[in-house]
Amino acid sequence: MKTAIVGLGYVGLPLSFEFARNGVTVLGLDIDTAKVDSLNQGKSYIKHISSESVGEVMRSGAFCASSDFSRIREVSAVIICVPTPLNKNREPDISYILETGKSIARYLQKGMLVVLESTTYPGTTDEDLREVLEIGSGLVAGKDFHLAFSPEREDPGNPNSKVGIIPKVVGGYTPECAAKAVELYSKAVKTIVPVSSCRVAEATKLLENTFRSINIALVNELKMVYSAMNIDVWEVIAAAKTKPFGFMPFYPGPGLGGHCIPIDPFYLTWKAREYGQHTRFIELAGEINTSMPSYVVNRVTDALNERAKALKGSSILVLGLAYKPNVDDERESPSYFLMEMLHHRGAKVAYYDPYVPVIKPTREHAHWAGTKSIEWDRKLIASFDLVLISTNHDSVNYQQLAEWADCIVDTRNAMAKTSTRPGQVWKA
Ligand SMILES: NC(=O)c1ccc[n+]([C@@H]2O[C@H](COP(=O)([O-])OP(=O)(O)OC[C@H]3O[C@@H](n4cnc5c(N)ncnc54)[C@H](O)[C@@H]3O)[C@@H](O)[C@H]2O)c1
């Protein structure tokens, strides 16, 4: 079964490699020619995927990258892994899926399987995507071609999370569509979890990410409540997680980041309105989580105040730009919100992140484009009025930080194992 994977990002690339290593010939397709060129030169553009592994799969002949969608004629299955962001009104933007659908439709042939993996609201596969595929090809889903949804469960930066061993939920437009999709994924994934429809599979992914968003909001709220009571929420969570049943630890932070947790629940909120339903839990969690940067900035202000300094004019180093530890992905990172807020209040802001050496141009953070990470250097670090730990990469030497920095605001409990001076570290 030669398979095309469209969208060679954080999801599509590891998936392509898993198939390629398991005997499925993969044609990787992306509109970003820089990514295609990089892969064809054996170079990776994702930190946790090495260039050696790119070279290895390229040399095996089981994978090649291209921007030529007419090559879809060569394959019997297409998997779509393109972005599903929110637009500026925080509504789902499925235009990437629809554009991809149009590109595929022109070359769709009888008997082909199309699977969507991008996170989205229930109905996207069997309504929106089906429509563009049918109109563009003149073929009928479930009769002439197969259609399915299978949500991605990528956990970037987690070395124990490998595509092949994470159970994969699969829902088909018809039972035959589901069977075809199960057959394809079985080649690379150990455990397949078939469900009765595309919509159930779509809803499953939204449940998983909403569950995270709500639980993170809960601990974020408790962080503020317990802090007012002079109780350390981190110690509370460490104690609670010794309970062997009925509890699962979630950790507070400076706000949500990444391409999934801050976004996906709002896909459900939007779709629910069509059915006259309200997603109050999601809204409340969103409210709490988005208020976190303000809470953190208040703590920064308090910490500076204690040293008779104002936020305005103070120099602040934000440590960690990526949205979570040990990755190079800084999309939707709360660090940006913090930098923005501190900058607007008159602070002089710099950042340190070993995985994000320079800020790339983006629509959302245009004026930070080109800003470079500072060096990890004693004199330089000591020159800041305050260091704000936003992301706790494992590679950072926190003991050195404790020795060099005068004042540290820690949103991740990164300083827990270091020896520090009284009043030096403020949890936030
Ligand atoms: N990153 C994660 O950890 C993660 C985890 C689970 C689910 N997801 C979901 O997976 C989907 C993809 O996320 P990602 O993180 O891989 O995104 P990404 O931005 O890393 O990669 C998407 C790729 O799609 C390409 N692309 C965009 N439009 C295209 C088009 N019309 N044709 C071909 N290629 C196109 C882009 O150039 C990019 O390379 C999203 O729906 C996301 O919510 C992501």
Side-chain angles (χ1 to χ4, degrees):
M1 224 187 217
K2 186 169 176 183
T3 298
I5 295 188
V6 184
L8 300 172
Y10 285 86
V11 166
L13 196 60
L15 183 68
S16 299
F17 287 6
E18 196 67 30
F19 274 117
R21 288 192 193 104
N22 284 282
V24 178
T25 307
V26 177
L27 167 67
L29 289 170
D30 204 297
I31 50 169
D32 184 343
T33 50
K35 281 186 180 149
V36 169
D37 291 346
S38 172
L39 292 172
N40 287 330
Q41 287 159 18
K43 284 193 218 132
S44 174
Y45 41 82
I46 295 178
K47 183 189 147 278
H48 57 275
I49 296 178
S50 68
S51 291
E52 289 80 69
S53 62
V54 175
E56 209 175 286
V57 284
M58 298 298 289
R59 278 192 300 276
S60 75
F63 174 82
C64 71
S66 174
S67 292
D68 178 3
F69 277 73
S70 71
R71 292 190 61 190
I72 283 179
R73 290 197 195 97
E74 299 166 19
V75 304
S76 50
V78 186
I79 299 177
I80 304 171
C81 308
V82 295
T84 43
L86 293 173
N87 66 19
K88 62 179 186 326
N89 299 323
R90 296 196 66 72
E91 289 166 344
D93 174 5
I94 62 162
S95 61
Y96 297 87
I97 296 177
L98 301 182
E99 283 309 310
T100 304
K102 284 182 201 156
S103 308
I104 295 170
R106 277 190 263 161
Y107 308 106
L108 197 64
Q109 290 162 49
K110 282 201 171 183
M112 242 155 109
L113 166 68
V114 179
V115 189
L116 178 63
E117 287 222 2
S118 307
T119 309
T120 184
Y121 53 79
T124 309
T125 309
D126 65 16
E127 275 174 12
D128 308 86
L129 179 60
R130 180 174 65 83
E131 194 177 283
V132 292
L133 290 173
E134 289 185 343
I135 291 172
S137 68
L139 301 175
V140 178
K143 186 168 149 270
D144 299 322
F145 69 95
H146 307 289
L147 183 62
F149 181 83
S150 178
E152 179 43 59
R153 281 174 165 167
E154 180 70 11
D155 187 10
N158 176 356
N160 300 321
S161 169
K162 301 243 158 53
V163 180
I165 55 169
I166 305 287
K168 196 125 182 56
V169 173
V170 175
Y173 181 52
T174 64
E176 210 194 329
C177 295
K180 274 277 171 202
V182 169
E183 186 192 334
L184 171 63
Y185 283 110
S186 300
K187 294 184 194 303
V189 181
K190 213 167 128 209
T191 311
I192 309 290
V193 185
V195 293
S196 63
S197 65
C198 300
R199 288 174 186 235
V200 169
E202 288 162 333
T204 303
K205 176 70 187 180
L206 293 180
L207 167 62
E208 291 166 11
N209 284 359
T210 301
F211 173 79
R212 281 186 62 74
S213 164
I214 287 172
N215 280 287
I216 293 168
L218 173 65
V219 287
N220 275 333
E221 184 169 81
L222 291 180
K223 164 179 81 174
M224 298 183 288
V225 173
Y226 286 161
S227 167
M229 297 175 177
N230 212 12
I231 297 168
D232 180 356
V233 74
W234 292 91
E235 192 184 348
V236 173
I237 297 168
K241 79 175 187 188
T242 60
K243 186 180 178 189
F245 54 90
F247 184 81
M248 189 182 193
F250 285 85
Y251 298 99
L256 295 181
H259 195 25
C260 298
I261 313 298
I263 293 171
D264 303 345
F266 294 99
Y267 267 67
L268 184 57
T269 298
W270 181 84
K271 191 67 179 175
R273 280 192 213 120
E274 192 180 310
Y275 295 82
Q277 298 297 312
H278 301 288
T279 55
R280 285 174 292 166
F281 263 118
I282 292 176
E283 302 284 358
L284 179 60
E287 219 175 276
I288 295 171
N289 288 328
T290 52
S291 73
M292 276 309 109
S294 300
Y295 173 76
V296 172
V297 169
N298 283 342
R299 294 287 287 167
V300 167
T301 311
D302 290 348
L304 287 169
N305 196 40
E306 198 63 21
R307 285 161 169 74
K309 289 179 185 171
L311 184 51
K312 189 170 180 150
S314 287
S315 57
I316 296 177
L317 176 68
V318 172
L319 203 158
L321 193 64
Y323 78 91
K324 69 178 212 175
N326 312 325
V327 303
D328 58 355
D329 186 354
E330 28 70 67
R331 292 174 296 177
E332 306 281 328
S333 174
S335 304
Y336 278 123
F337 290 96
L338 292 169
M339 286 164 64
E340 211 72 60
M341 290 173 82
L342 294 168
H343 172 73
H344 277 115
R345 283 161 179 73
K348 289 174 262 169
V349 184
Y351 82 94
Y352 172 74
D353 194 314
Y355 307 129
V356 189
V358 59
I359 298 177
K360 287 182 227 123
T362 55
R363 221 176 340 139
E364 302 82 24
H365 313 291
H367 70 266
W368 295 106
T371 308
K372 289 187 177 139
S373 164
I374 67 148
E375 296 289 316
W376 188 253
D377 172 78
R378 178 183 200 125
K379 252 176 105 178
L380 206 50
I381 303 268
S383 70
F384 286 93
D385 293 306
L386 185 144
V387 177
L388 167 57
I389 301 175
S390 183
T391 308
N392 50 331
H393 292 308
D394 290 340
S395 61
V396 171
N397 187 332
Y398 294 100
Q399 188 52 53
Q400 266 180 355
L401 182 67
E403 285 153 25
W404 298 350
D406 170 46
C407 180
I408 300 165
V409 172
D410 183 4
T411 67
R412 302 283 191 174
N413 208 26
M415 300 304 289
K417 294 196 181 107
T418 61
S419 49
T420 54
R421 302 181 289 281
Q424 184 189 13
V425 176
W426 291 59
K427 292 194 181 183

